[in-house]
Amino acid sequence: MARIAVVGAGLAGLACAQSLRDAGNVVRGFEKSRGAGGRMATRRTDHGTYDHGAQYFTVRAPAFRAAVERWLAHGVIAPYAGRIVNLQDGVTSTLSHPGQRYVATPAMPAVCRALAADMDIDFECQITAVTPGEQGWRLSWEEGGESGFDAVVLAIPAAQALPLCTAVPELAAQVSQGGHAPCWAAMVRYEAPLPLEFDAAFVADSMIGWVMRDGSRPGRAAGERWVLHANAEWSKAHLEDGAETVAPLLIEAFHAAAGIRAEPVESRAHRWRFALSGGLNAGSFWDAGRRIGVCGDWCADGRIEGAYLSGTGLAARLISTI
Amino acid sequence: MARIAVVGAGLAGLACAQSLRDAGNVVRGFEKSRGAGGRMATRRTDHGTYDHGAQYFTVRAPAFRAAVERWLAHGVIAPYAGRIVNLQDGVTSTLSHPGQRYVATPAMPAVCRALAADMDIDFECQITAVTPGEQGWRLSWEEGGESGFDAVVLAIPAAQALPLCTAVPELAAQVSQGGHAPCWAAMVRYEAPLPLEFDAAFVADSMIGWVMRDGSRPGRAAGERWVLHANAEWSKAHLEDGAETVAPLLIEAFHAAAGIRAEPVESRAHRWRFALSGGLNAGSFWDAGRRIGVCGDWCADGRIEGAYLSGTGLAARLISTI
């Protein structure tokens, strides 16, 4: 039995924490925001929710499929049955690789909230330093700190993990290879359904990369709410623009790509500084000697499946060491 | 310095072997076929080559990009500039996520051959058993065997690795999760160029999943040679069919999807029993206590990049243990 700190309550951190706890360890989580989920996020409005970060996930690896079957049985996810297409200059075409997609219900954070429900997690607590202490690791936050962790897991974006693992230069060197592209997202509501024959689209030849009708997913409120994601290139170029100038540009590009004219009744934009990552394709990082590790989608394949498997994979490595 | 056996001379095994050797270990490779490359394969004919397995690769992770830059500098790969599209019922559309693709030159095995050039590898030597010996591991093959390996790396498909790692049940359990879908490939030559505006296509609504004009790639002989890949579902259903019955079916489906009529002058088919894998998204597997590990595209993301990073990742874990 070891005392382990897990920093970050997105899917990777929670999957890791759960595995560690199930193996008999004492796990304490730290999360800087108010709730679990990370980029599996939702925004509540008076007219329903927008899942403005990750919007669905796919399954390939058997170990993740097993988790997905459990989540299906518990009703925290459901298969997505909406029509997804490729979209280019107003013309749609079928996806070459369709595959089954899943969404969390009633909103994307549901999976992480279920995982976090019976965990010991400090929310709104941002870790500012991880330092070797007299007994194991010491984690510090603005108002205080705590020592005596036998091991530390950093389950946060690479750019945020890097300053916390400088005590182990080899690990920091690996983490410094990771990174996320930003993504500007717009949440747009229309009074009436848009005249479109699809519910979601990968968009080509546009500053928009992806659009989805939020309400096309199971368990959502009625209403014509769309989430638009700018592509990485455009998001990077306009990273420091204001949300109020970005939203109209995304909406205009969406209408142009879809070949429609429409007038939203409500819109807002959200900047994801650390959004999609190509992924380091390394699973996870673990320094067995110093007992500090890093996991996250960006360590694996940059997807939700990767986040889960990175977390459980790191837990397995940690358990076999301690 | 350790004495390490690496089974399999595809990209994962060779990348692992190179890293291990560069760290000062004595590495001996074993490969059941006559040359290096695995599924990065080519078939020579009187009218030029067909790369009938993997046909290109993409780059996302920085660690793989560094290798790609070296290979570019050494001329064993080149950027692919052909036109790739989505194809459905004779209609093409642009890829939503184009991205730069690379091919090995003059044929796909070139990368692995370059890596294998100065390695100690026994070709045409199929390992039949890996057993704990008095001093480390013993590898056996049909005509003999060898003991005294401090560590063993299995860099082969999951179905082939499984019988070789039964001495370590925990590892075997992980390997048993892996797997590859089969792929029937046809190599087809035409007298004159086909009237197509693309060089390669992801095909939807067809038993064909992918087609590529082999000669559209740098360093290839002239001539209208196409490689057609059946999709996984069809390949699985027709796994035990004969090559002579499969080839005409693939050709017919290609012509139907492309909306053309044409008469090949030459064709043959090849069955890949272990082709594409979704990937376990775990990086690699390593038992530090028993000193045996497994790598391969199927441990990572099922792609060429994954094979490379799985191999180098396993090497790093091995080096940090020994």
Side-chain angles (χ1 to χ4, degrees), chain B residues 10-81:
Chain B
L11 184 58
L14 291 168
C16 184
Q18 189 188 46
S19 296
L20 291 171
R21 196 199 49 182
D22 290 354
N25 299 289
V26 176
V27 179
R28 183 166 176 196
F30 298 92
E31 166 59 45
K32 72 171 180 172
S33 71
R34 293 167 62 185
R39 283 162 285 150
M40 295 173 77
T42 202
R43 180 77 68 89
R44 283 196 198 83
T45 75
D46 292 343
H47 298 89
T49 56
Y50 293 88
D51 290 353
H52 58 313
Q55 300 212 298
Y56 66 82
F57 59 91
T58 54
V59 184
R60 295 185 294 185
F64 187 54
R65 181 164 299 288
V68 164
E69 296 295 338
R70 287 196 303 274
W71 297 340
L72 279 170
H74 286 86
V76 294
I77 66 169
Y80 178 65

Coordinates of all heavy atoms in Angstrom, one line a residue, chain B residues 10-81:
Chain B
G10 N 11.0 -6.4 -38.4 CA 10.2 -5.3 -39.0 C 10.7 -4.0 -38.3 O 11.7 -4.0 -37.6
L11 N 10.0 -3.0 -38.5 CA 10.4 -1.7 -38.0 C 10.5 -1.6 -36.5 O 11.5 -1.1 -36.0 CB 9.5 -0.6 -38.6 CG 10.0 0.9 -38.2 CD1 11.4 1.1 -38.7 CD2 9.0 1.9 -38.7
A12 N 9.6 -2.2 -35.8 CA 9.6 -2.2 -34.3 C 10.8 -2.9 -33.8 O 11.6 -2.3 -33.0 CB 8.3 -2.8 -33.8
G13 N 11.1 -4.1 -34.3 CA 12.2 -4.8 -33.8 C 13.6 -4.1 -34.1 O 14.5 -4.1 -33.3
L14 N 13.7 -3.6 -35.3 CA 14.9 -3.0 -35.7 C 15.2 -1.7 -35.0 O 16.3 -1.4 -34.6 CB 14.9 -2.7 -37.3 CG 15.0 -4.0 -38.1 CD1 14.7 -3.8 -39.5 CD2 16.4 -4.7 -38.0
A15 N 14.1 -0.9 -34.8 CA 14.3 0.4 -34.0 C 14.7 0.0 -32.6 O 15.5 0.7 -32.0 CB 13.0 1.2 -34.1
C16 N 14.1 -1.0 -32.0 CA 14.4 -1.4 -30.7 C 15.9 -1.9 -30.6 O 16.7 -1.5 -29.8 CB 13.5 -2.5 -30.2 SG 13.7 -3.0 -28.5
A17 N 16.2 -2.7 -31.6 CA 17.6 -3.3 -31.6 C 18.6 -2.2 -31.8 O 19.7 -2.2 -31.1 CB 17.7 -4.3 -32.8
Q18 N 18.3 -1.3 -32.6 CA 19.3 -0.2 -32.8 C 19.5 0.6 -31.6 O 20.7 0.9 -31.2 CB 18.8 0.7 -34.0 CG 19.9 1.8 -34.4 CD 19.4 2.8 -35.4 OE1 18.3 3.3 -35.2 NE2 20.1 3.0 -36.4
S19 N 18.4 1.0 -30.9 CA 18.6 1.7 -29.6 C 19.3 0.9 -28.6 O 20.1 1.5 -27.9 CB 17.2 2.1 -29.1 OG 16.5 2.9 -29.9
L20 N 19.0 -0.4 -28.5 CA 19.7 -1.2 -27.5 C 21.2 -1.3 -27.8 O 22.1 -1.2 -26.9 CB 19.1 -2.6 -27.5 CG 17.7 -2.7 -27.0 CD1 17.1 -4.1 -27.3 CD2 17.6 -2.4 -25.5
R21 N 21.5 -1.4 -29.1 CA 23.0 -1.5 -29.5 C 23.7 -0.2 -29.2 O 24.8 -0.2 -28.7 CB 23.1 -2.0 -30.9 CG 24.4 -2.4 -31.3 CD 24.7 -2.4 -32.8 NE 24.3 -1.1 -33.3 CZ 24.3 -0.8 -34.6 NH1 24.7 -1.7 -35.5 NH2 24.0 0.4 -35.0
D22 N 23.0 0.9 -29.6 CA 23.6 2.2 -29.4 C 23.9 2.5 -27.9 O 24.7 3.3 -27.6 CB 22.7 3.3 -30.0 CG 22.7 3.2 -31.5 OD1 23.5 2.4 -32.1 OD2 22.0 4.0 -32.2
A23 N 23.1 1.8 -27.1 CA 23.4 2.0 -25.6 C 24.4 1.0 -25.1 O 24.6 0.9 -23.9 CB 22.1 1.8 -24.9
G24 N 25.1 0.3 -26.0 CA 26.2 -0.5 -25.6 C 25.9 -2.0 -25.4 O 26.8 -2.7 -24.8
N25 N 24.7 -2.4 -25.7 CA 24.4 -3.8 -25.5 C 24.8 -4.7 -26.7 O 24.9 -4.2 -27.8 CB 22.9 -4.0 -25.3 CG 22.4 -3.2 -24.0 OD1 22.7 -3.6 -22.9 ND2 21.8 -2.1 -24.2
V26 N 24.9 -6.0 -26.5 CA 25.1 -6.9 -27.6 C 23.8 -7.5 -28.1 O 23.1 -8.1 -27.3 CB 26.0 -8.1 -27.2 CG1 26.2 -9.1 -28.3 CG2 27.4 -7.5 -26.8
V27 N 23.4 -7.2 -29.3 CA 22.1 -7.5 -29.8 C 22.1 -8.5 -30.9 O 23.0 -8.4 -31.8 CB 21.3 -6.2 -30.3 CG1 19.9 -6.6 -30.8 CG2 21.3 -5.2 -29.1
R28 N 21.3 -9.6 -30.8 CA 21.3 -10.5 -31.9 C 19.8 -10.6 -32.4 O 18.9 -10.8 -31.6 CB 21.7 -11.9 -31.4 CG 21.7 -12.9 -32.6 CD 22.5 -14.1 -32.3 NE 22.4 -15.1 -33.4 CZ 22.7 -16.3 -33.3 NH1 23.2 -16.8 -32.2 NH2 22.6 -17.1 -34.3
G29 N 19.6 -10.4 -33.7 CA 18.3 -10.5 -34.2 C 17.9 -11.8 -34.9 O 18.8 -12.5 -35.4
F30 N 16.7 -12.1 -34.9 CA 16.2 -13.3 -35.5 C 14.9 -13.0 -36.3 O 14.0 -12.3 -35.9 CB 15.8 -14.4 -34.5 CG 16.9 -14.8 -33.6 CD1 17.1 -14.2 -32.4 CD2 17.7 -15.9 -34.0 CE1 18.2 -14.6 -31.5 CE2 18.8 -16.3 -33.1 CZ 19.0 -15.7 -31.9
E31 N 14.9 -13.4 -37.6 CA 13.8 -13.1 -38.5 C 13.5 -14.3 -39.3 O 14.4 -14.9 -39.9 CB 14.3 -11.9 -39.4 CG 13.4 -11.7 -40.6 CD 11.9 -11.4 -40.2 OE1 11.7 -10.6 -39.3 OE2 11.0 -12.0 -40.9
K32 N 12.2 -14.7 -39.4 CA 11.9 -15.9 -40.1 C 11.9 -15.8 -41.6 O 12.1 -16.8 -42.3 CB 10.5 -16.5 -39.6 CG 9.4 -15.6 -40.1 CD 8.0 -16.4 -39.8 CE 6.9 -15.6 -40.3 NZ 5.6 -16.3 -40.1
S33 N 11.7 -14.6 -42.1 CA 11.7 -14.5 -43.6 C 13.1 -14.1 -44.0 O 14.1 -14.1 -43.3 CB 10.7 -13.4 -44.0 OG 11.2 -12.1 -43.6
R34 N 13.2 -13.9 -45.4 CA 14.6 -13.7 -45.9 C 15.2 -12.3 -45.8 O 16.3 -12.1 -46.1 CB 14.5 -14.1 -47.4 CG 14.2 -15.6 -47.6 CD 13.9 -15.9 -49.0 NE 15.0 -15.6 -50.0 CZ 14.9 -15.7 -51.3 NH1 13.8 -16.1 -51.8 NH2 15.9 -15.4 -52.0
G35 N 14.3 -11.4 -45.5 CA 14.8 -10.0 -45.4 C 14.1 -9.2 -44.3 O 13.1 -9.6 -43.7
A36 N 14.6 -8.0 -44.2 CA 14.0 -7.1 -43.2 C 12.8 -6.4 -43.8 O 12.7 -6.2 -45.0 CB 15.1 -6.1 -42.7
G37 N 12.0 -5.9 -42.9 CA 10.9 -5.0 -43.4 C 9.5 -5.4 -42.9 O 8.6 -4.5 -42.8
G38 N 9.3 -6.6 -42.6 CA 7.9 -7.0 -42.2 C 6.9 -6.7 -43.2 O 7.0 -7.0 -44.4
R39 N 5.9 -5.9 -42.7 CA 4.8 -5.5 -43.6 C 5.1 -4.3 -44.5 O 4.4 -3.9 -45.3 CB 3.5 -5.3 -42.9 CG 2.8 -6.6 -42.5 CD 1.8 -6.4 -41.4 NE 2.5 -6.2 -40.1 CZ 2.0 -5.5 -39.1 NH1 0.9 -4.8 -39.2 NH2 2.7 -5.4 -38.0
M40 N 6.3 -3.7 -44.2 CA 6.8 -2.7 -45.1 C 7.6 -3.5 -46.2 O 8.8 -3.6 -46.2 CB 7.8 -1.7 -44.3 CG 7.1 -0.9 -43.3 SD 8.2 0.1 -42.2 CE 8.6 1.4 -43.3
A41 N 6.8 -4.0 -47.1 CA 7.2 -5.0 -48.0 C 7.1 -4.6 -49.4 O 6.4 -3.6 -49.8 CB 6.4 -6.3 -47.8
T42 N 7.8 -5.3 -50.3 CA 7.6 -5.1 -51.7 C 7.7 -6.4 -52.5 O 8.2 -7.4 -52.0 CB 8.7 -4.1 -52.3 OG1 8.3 -3.5 -53.5 CG2 10.0 -4.8 -52.5
R43 N 7.1 -6.4 -53.7 CA 7.1 -7.6 -54.5 C 7.7 -7.2 -55.8 O 7.2 -6.3 -56.5 CB 5.6 -8.1 -54.7 CG 5.5 -9.3 -55.6 CD 5.9 -10.6 -54.9 NE 4.9 -11.0 -53.9 CZ 3.8 -11.7 -54.1 NH1 3.6 -12.2 -55.3 NH2 3.0 -12.0 -53.1
R44 N 8.8 -7.9 -56.2 CA 9.4 -7.5 -57.5 C 8.8 -8.3 -58.6 O 8.5 -9.5 -58.5 CB 10.9 -7.9 -57.4 CG 11.8 -7.0 -56.6 CD 13.3 -7.1 -56.9 NE 14.1 -6.5 -55.9 CZ 14.3 -7.1 -54.7 NH1 13.9 -8.3 -54.5 NH2 15.0 -6.5 -53.8
T45 N 8.6 -7.6 -59.7 CA 8.1 -8.3 -60.9 C 9.0 -7.8 -62.1 O 9.8 -6.9 -62.0 CB 6.6 -8.0 -61.2 OG1 6.6 -6.7 -61.8 CG2 5.8 -8.1 -60.0
D46 N 8.7 -8.4 -63.3 CA 9.5 -8.0 -64.5 C 9.1 -6.6 -64.9 O 9.7 -6.0 -65.7 CB 9.2 -9.0 -65.6 CG 9.8 -10.3 -65.4 OD1 10.7 -10.4 -64.5 OD2 9.4 -11.3 -66.0
H47 N 7.9 -6.1 -64.4 CA 7.5 -4.8 -64.8 C 7.5 -3.8 -63.6 O 6.6 -3.0 -63.5 CB 6.1 -4.9 -65.4 CG 6.0 -5.7 -66.6 ND1 5.8 -7.1 -66.6 CD2 6.2 -5.4 -67.9 CE1 5.8 -7.5 -67.9 NE2 6.1 -6.5 -68.7
G48 N 8.5 -4.0 -62.7 CA 8.6 -3.0 -61.6 C 8.1 -3.7 -60.3 O 7.6 -4.8 -60.3
T49 N 8.1 -2.9 -59.2 CA 7.8 -3.4 -57.9 C 6.4 -3.0 -57.5 O 5.8 -2.0 -58.0 CB 8.7 -2.9 -56.8 OG1 8.7 -1.4 -56.9 CG2 10.1 -3.3 -57.1
Y50 N 5.8 -3.8 -56.6 CA 4.5 -3.4 -56.0 C 4.8 -3.4 -54.5 O 5.2 -4.5 -53.9 CB 3.5 -4.5 -56.2 CG 3.0 -4.6 -57.6 CD1 3.6 -5.5 -58.5 CD2 1.8 -3.9 -58.0 CE1 3.1 -5.7 -59.8 CE2 1.3 -4.1 -59.3 CZ 2.0 -5.0 -60.2 OH 1.5 -5.1 -61.5
D51 N 4.6 -2.3 -53.8 CA 4.6 -2.3 -52.3 C 3.2 -2.8 -51.9 O 2.3 -2.0 -51.7 CB 4.9 -1.0 -51.8 CG 6.3 -0.6 -52.1 OD1 7.1 -1.4 -52.6 OD2 6.7 0.6 -51.8
H52 N 3.1 -4.1 -51.6 CA 1.8 -4.7 -51.4 C 1.3 -4.7 -50.0 O 0.2 -5.1 -49.7 CB 1.7 -6.1 -52.0 CG 2.7 -7.0 -51.5 ND1 4.0 -6.7 -51.3 CD2 2.6 -8.3 -51.1 CE1 4.7 -7.8 -50.8 NE2 3.8 -8.7 -50.6
G53 N 2.2 -4.2 -49.1 CA 1.8 -4.1 -47.7 C 1.5 -2.7 -47.3 O 0.7 -2.0 -47.9
A54 N 2.2 -2.2 -46.3 CA 2.1 -0.8 -45.9 C 2.6 0.1 -47.1 O 3.6 -0.3 -47.8 CB 3.0 -0.5 -44.7
Q55 N 1.9 1.2 -47.4 CA 2.2 1.9 -48.6 C 2.7 3.3 -48.3 O 3.3 4.0 -49.2 CB 1.0 2.0 -49.5 CG 0.6 0.6 -49.8 CD -0.1 0.5 -51.2 OE1 -1.1 1.2 -51.4 NE2 0.6 -0.2 -52.1
Y56 N 2.5 3.8 -47.1 CA 3.0 5.2 -46.8 C 3.0 5.3 -45.3 O 2.5 4.4 -44.6 CB 2.2 6.3 -47.4 CG 0.8 6.3 -46.9 CD1 0.5 6.9 -45.7 CD2 -0.3 5.7 -47.5 CE1 -0.8 7.0 -45.2 CE2 -1.6 5.7 -47.0 CZ -1.8 6.3 -45.8 OH -3.1 6.3 -45.3
F57 N 3.5 6.3 -44.8 CA 3.4 6.6 -43.3 C 3.2 8.1 -43.1 O 3.6 8.9 -43.9 CB 4.5 6.0 -42.5 CG 5.9 6.4 -42.8 CD1 6.4 7.5 -42.2 CD2 6.6 5.8 -43.8 CE1 7.7 7.9 -42.4 CE2 7.9 6.2 -44.1 CZ 8.4 7.3 -43.4
T58 N 2.7 8.4 -41.9 CA 2.5 9.8 -41.5 C 3.3 10.0 -40.2 O 3.8 9.0 -39.6 CB 1.1 10.1 -41.3 OG1 0.5 9.1 -40.4 CG2 0.3 10.0 -42.6
V59 N 3.5 11.2 -39.8 CA 4.3 11.6 -38.7 C 3.5 12.5 -37.8 O 3.0 13.5 -38.2 CB 5.6 12.3 -39.1 CG1 6.5 12.6 -37.9 CG2 6.3 11.5 -40.2
R60 N 3.5 12.2 -36.5 CA 2.8 13.1 -35.5 C 3.7 13.4 -34.3 O 3.9 14.5 -33.9 CB 1.5 12.5 -35.0 CG 0.5 12.4 -36.2 CD -0.9 11.9 -35.6 NE -0.8 10.5 -35.2 CZ -1.8 9.8 -34.8 NH1 -3.0 10.3 -34.7 NH2 -1.7 8.6 -34.3
A61 N 4.4 12.3 -33.8 CA 5.1 12.5 -32.6 C 6.5 13.1 -32.9 O 7.2 12.6 -33.9 CB 5.3 11.2 -31.8
P62 N 7.0 14.0 -32.1 CA 8.4 14.6 -32.3 C 9.5 13.5 -32.4 O 10.4 13.7 -33.2 CB 8.5 15.5 -31.1 CG 7.2 15.8 -30.6 CD 6.3 14.6 -30.9
A63 N 9.4 12.5 -31.5 CA 10.5 11.5 -31.5 C 10.5 10.7 -32.8 O 11.6 10.4 -33.3 CB 10.3 10.5 -30.4
F64 N 9.4 10.5 -33.5 CA 9.4 9.9 -34.8 C 9.8 10.9 -35.9 O 10.5 10.5 -36.8 CB 8.0 9.3 -35.1 CG 7.9 8.5 -36.3 CD1 8.8 7.4 -36.5 CD2 7.0 8.8 -37.3 CE1 8.8 6.7 -37.7 CE2 6.9 8.0 -38.5 CZ 7.8 6.9 -38.7
R65 N 9.4 12.1 -35.7 CA 9.8 13.1 -36.7 C 11.3 13.2 -36.8 O 11.9 13.4 -37.9 CB 9.2 14.5 -36.3 CG 9.6 15.6 -37.3 CD 8.7 16.8 -37.2 NE 7.3 16.6 -37.5 CZ 6.8 16.3 -38.7 NH1 7.5 16.3 -39.7 NH2 5.5 16.0 -38.8
A66 N 12.0 13.1 -35.6 CA 13.5 13.2 -35.6 C 14.0 12.0 -36.5 O 15.0 12.2 -37.3 CB 14.0 13.1 -34.2
A67 N 13.5 10.8 -36.4 CA 13.9 9.7 -37.2 C 13.6 9.9 -38.7 O 14.5 9.7 -39.5 CB 13.2 8.4 -36.7
V68 N 12.4 10.5 -38.9 CA 12.0 10.8 -40.3 C 13.0 11.8 -41.0 O 13.3 11.6 -42.1 CB 10.6 11.2 -40.3 CG1 10.2 11.9 -41.7 CG2 9.6 10.1 -40.1
E69 N 13.4 12.8 -40.2 CA 14.3 13.7 -40.7 C 15.7 13.1 -41.1 O 16.3 13.4 -42.2 CB 14.6 14.9 -39.7 CG 13.4 15.7 -39.4 CD 12.9 16.5 -40.6 OE1 13.7 16.8 -41.5 OE2 11.7 16.9 -40.6
R70 N 16.1 12.1 -40.3 CA 17.3 11.4 -40.6 C 17.2 10.6 -41.9 O 18.0 10.6 -42.7 CB 17.7 10.5 -39.4 CG 18.3 11.2 -38.2 CD 19.0 10.2 -37.3 NE 18.2 9.1 -36.9 CZ 17.3 9.1 -35.8 NH1 17.2 10.2 -35.1 NH2 16.6 8.1 -35.5
W71 N 16.1 9.9 -42.0 CA 15.8 9.1 -43.2 C 15.7 9.9 -44.4 O 16.2 9.5 -45.5 CB 14.5 8.2 -43.0 CG 14.6 7.3 -41.8 CD1 15.7 6.8 -41.2 CD2 13.5 6.7 -41.1 NE1 15.4 6.0 -40.2 CE2 14.0 5.9 -40.1 CE3 12.1 6.8 -41.2 CZ2 13.2 5.1 -39.2 CZ3 11.3 6.1 -40.3 CH2 11.9 5.2 -39.3
L72 N 15.1 11.1 -44.3 CA 15.0 12.0 -45.4 C 16.4 12.4 -45.9 O 16.8 12.4 -47.1 CB 14.2 13.2 -45.1 CG 12.7 13.1 -45.1 CD1 12.0 14.4 -44.5 CD2 12.2 13.0 -46.6
A73 N 17.2 12.7 -44.9 CA 18.6 13.2 -45.2 C 19.4 12.1 -45.8 O 20.3 12.3 -46.7 CB 19.3 13.6 -43.9
H74 N 19.1 10.8 -45.5 CA 19.8 9.7 -46.0 C 19.2 9.2 -47.3 O 19.7 8.2 -47.9 CB 20.0 8.5 -45.0 CG 21.0 8.8 -43.9 ND1 20.6 9.5 -42.8 CD2 22.3 8.5 -43.8 CE1 21.7 9.6 -42.0 NE2 22.7 9.1 -42.6
G75 N 18.1 9.8 -47.7 CA 17.5 9.4 -49.0 C 16.7 8.0 -49.0 O 16.4 7.5 -50.0
V76 N 16.5 7.5 -47.8 CA 15.7 6.2 -47.8 C 14.2 6.4 -47.8 O 13.4 5.5 -47.9 CB 16.1 5.3 -46.6 CG1 17.5 4.8 -46.8 CG2 15.9 5.9 -45.3
I77 N 13.8 7.7 -47.6 CA 12.4 8.0 -47.7 C 12.3 9.3 -48.5 O 13.2 10.0 -48.7 CB 11.6 8.2 -46.4 CG1 12.2 9.4 -45.6 CG2 11.8 6.9 -45.5 CD1 11.3 9.8 -44.4
A78 N 11.0 9.6 -49.0 CA 10.8 10.8 -49.7 C 9.3 11.2 -49.4 O 8.5 10.3 -49.2 CB 11.0 10.6 -51.2
P79 N 9.0 12.5 -49.5 CA 7.6 12.9 -49.3 C 6.8 12.4 -50.4 O 7.2 12.3 -51.6 CB 7.7 14.4 -49.3 CG 9.1 14.8 -49.2 CD 9.9 13.7 -49.7
Y80 N 5.6 12.0 -50.2 CA 4.7 11.5 -51.2 C 3.8 12.7 -51.7 O 3.2 13.4 -50.9 CB 3.7 10.4 -50.7 CG 2.8 9.9 -51.7 CD1 3.2 9.3 -52.8 CD2 1.4 10.1 -51.5 CE1 2.3 8.8 -53.8 CE2 0.5 9.7 -52.5 CZ 1.0 9.0 -53.6 OH 0.1 8.6 -54.6
A81 N 3.8 12.9 -53.0 CA 3.2 14.1 -53.5 C 2.0 13.7 -54.4 O 1.4 14.5 -55.1 CB 4.1 14.9 -54.4

